[in-house]
Amino acid sequence: MTHRAALPILICGLIAFAAPAGGQQVNLPYQVPDREGNMWYVHQQAYLQQQGNMPVYGQAGMLQINNANVQSRTQNGKLDPVTGELILENMAAPNGLKLSRRFLFNKDDNYVRVIDIISNPTAKDVTAQLSLVSNSNYGMQSGQVIADPRKKSQNYAFVGLTGNNNRAMVELFNGLGTKNPLTIDYNQGNNQVRATMPLSVPAGKEVAIMHVHMPAASVDAGTEWIKKVKDAQLIKNVPAAIRRILLNFGSSTSWFGDTELLRGDVFDVVELRSGDQFRGTIKADSFKLQTFYGPIELPAQKVLGVLNVGAVRPRQLLVTADADVFGGVIQLEKLPLELSDGQTVEIPMGQISRIGFRKRPGEPDELTQTHPFIRMRSGERIAIKPPTKDIVLHTRYGILNLKPESVAAVVFQNEEHAGHEVHLTEGSRLIGLVDATTMEFALAGSEQVIKFPTSSAARLQLKLEGDEGSPAPDPQSPTLRLNNDELMVGALEGKLRLDTAFTTLSLDAGSIKSLERRPEAPQDLKVTLWDETSFQGMLDDQMLSCKLLSGPTVSVPVSLLQEYLQPLPKPSSGMTEKIKALVAELDADDWQRRQRAQEDLVSIGEAVIPVLKEIRATQPPEAQERIDQVLEAVKKSVK
């Protein structure tokens, strides 16, 4: 079915297709011509296809959840009256989810931007595997994924050389440096590229994924476009409510909590509480802010935006280019703004809702916090210099003096626990109370010291992996999980006496592979040793000594034990001596003896790993080389 072509209009730098106010209803399949004489089709099952004069795409951006396609058929959609996007709403998706898709046909750059909004109307959280699949209409001669220049460990786009006159298929799946990337999979010789991600949608919430599909004249042209296009350009006219829930494209310079920051392209912007906006040049050189932790003065060139919050006693939040957020009262009655015609107006601060500075040359599209920071309960986030004194934590296991370099984060405001939650760099998670009624830190950018009550702090972040996240334990690290949600990353120490049904056993804690509580007999434990020997019994001593990898030794009541796992337990003393004897043979004069000893070590399996790692440094060069080969072979066999 042919539809009347919509007129293109320029919206925020993108060519989109206009629609009448209120959103024009359209029937499916919906057709839009591209600039090369082909036709884009959006079908009833919400997938995208090209037809016409040798189109590049067979299908583009087909969405699957747990490898199942969206089964819902919809007969019509509507055109967004502002952006011109084609919107398909409220389609049934696998796992009880709902799907809405938004298609923007950009005729200027000849791409289609698709935004998938996945909502969970159920009362339970839903986890699933999300996939996006595109395939070439004329096969794929070769393809390459493009590494994210901000995070070399992940990819963000794909360019494939098709059999269609050497034209290329260009797929953009992630924003630069995103924390929630789709993983791009392509096998040479295949005509299909797939991007996947584990999806988690909380009960009653929704998330969004954005992806872009474009035919290009050549691989070089497609690659050049990928490297040149900016995230800000792609998401600029995405509705604010959707930008906030995008998983795979960042917009951290645009949001503070649930409030969007104003940013201007050419002029500074001042928005009044009435909704009126003035554009021009703010004529303030700096902002003096009175805070509850002391006066702060910020140069205007470092400020991205200002939010006026609070109705009874208004205060301001200043967001800086260093990803800091300072809160207080600006010591300024009126803000001077020079309008584009040259006249200057002075706007009372009490009437201002938001202030946004224009984007400066060289300013990154996404804010990155590069210093440790403290986040206040009132919303401020302030970059600080690392503390130099130990963090003293009162726990049920006693007082722990934690070195600052061993602490990843301290969560003061916790909905699940009454105490403070401390995350250590090796992955431990401890609950207690920080021994400080007030805290004192030097600001990262100056020598100024701020002092505030500990009760006003929400989070202290000292390690920046994952921004406000916390490090996960290494899979090869021993872990002790407790039934109060605490996690200790470290190994048990000392000797344990276990009363079994017929005898009492003396066990070396280092040789224990696992300890787990028996649900039917809470006082008894199931013990598994390094050689998979297992038995049950009750410990004589009801305290376990756990040496954390970060340093402290903690005495833990057995009654709190949920599970202890040691991926690399030490073998018995007899086996240890056998391993050491074989290691001595690795430097024998006879090559066959060296080779036989290496093969014997590999045959022993995982038990050799902790012993070899312990003694490797003291061995001669060839023995060290063979030890490395043994370790690599054992690890491969375990996988």
Side-chain angles (χ1 to χ4, degrees), residues 262-271 275-282 337-343 345 347 354 356-358:
L262 277 180
R263 297 307 307 280
D265 288 325
V266 180
F267 297 105
D268 302 330
V269 188
V270 179
E271 181 180 86
D276 295 341
Q277 288 188 353
F278 290 86
R279 299 177 185 271
T281 301
I282 293 174
L337 178 71
E338 183 182 279
L339 302 179
S340 57
D341 62 4
Q343 65 178 312
V345 296
I347 305 173
R354 296 183 295 173
F357 283 86
R358 71 193 70 181

Side-chain angles (χ1 to χ4, degrees), residues 348-459:
M349 287 298 301
Q351 295 186 24
I352 294 175
S353 172
R354 296 183 295 173
I355 299 171
F357 283 86
R358 71 193 70 181
K359 291 191 176 182
R360 284 91 172 190
E363 180 183 309
D365 292 329
E366 186 173 356
L367 292 182
T368 302
Q369 184 67 262
T370 57
H371 296 281
F373 63 85
I374 185 82
R375 181 161 56 83
M376 303 292 189
R377 291 176 184 258
S378 51
E380 295 94 323
R381 187 169 72 169
I382 304 167
I384 59 172
K385 293 178 180 177
T388 57
K389 297 180 180 179
D390 288 357
I391 295 175
V392 181
L393 184 68
H394 292 263
T395 74
R396 68 182 70 200
Y397 323 109
I399 298 176
L400 300 179
N401 293 295
L402 304 173
K403 300 296 181 185
E405 57 270 20
S406 72
V407 176
V410 180
V411 182
F412 296 99
Q413 186 180 20
N414 196 305
E415 296 179 358
E416 298 180 3
H417 309 291
H420 303 150
E421 190 171 280
V422 177
H423 298 258
L424 302 184
T425 53
E426 24 77 336
S428 292
R429 183 175 59 251
L430 306 173
I431 300 171
L433 291 174
V434 173
D435 187 9
T437 55
T438 59
M439 303 191 78
E440 191 174 288
F441 294 101
L443 296 180
S446 70
E447 297 302 317
Q448 183 176 351
V449 174
I450 60 173
K451 187 175 182 180
F452 50 87
T454 304
S455 58
S456 65
R459 186 183 186 103

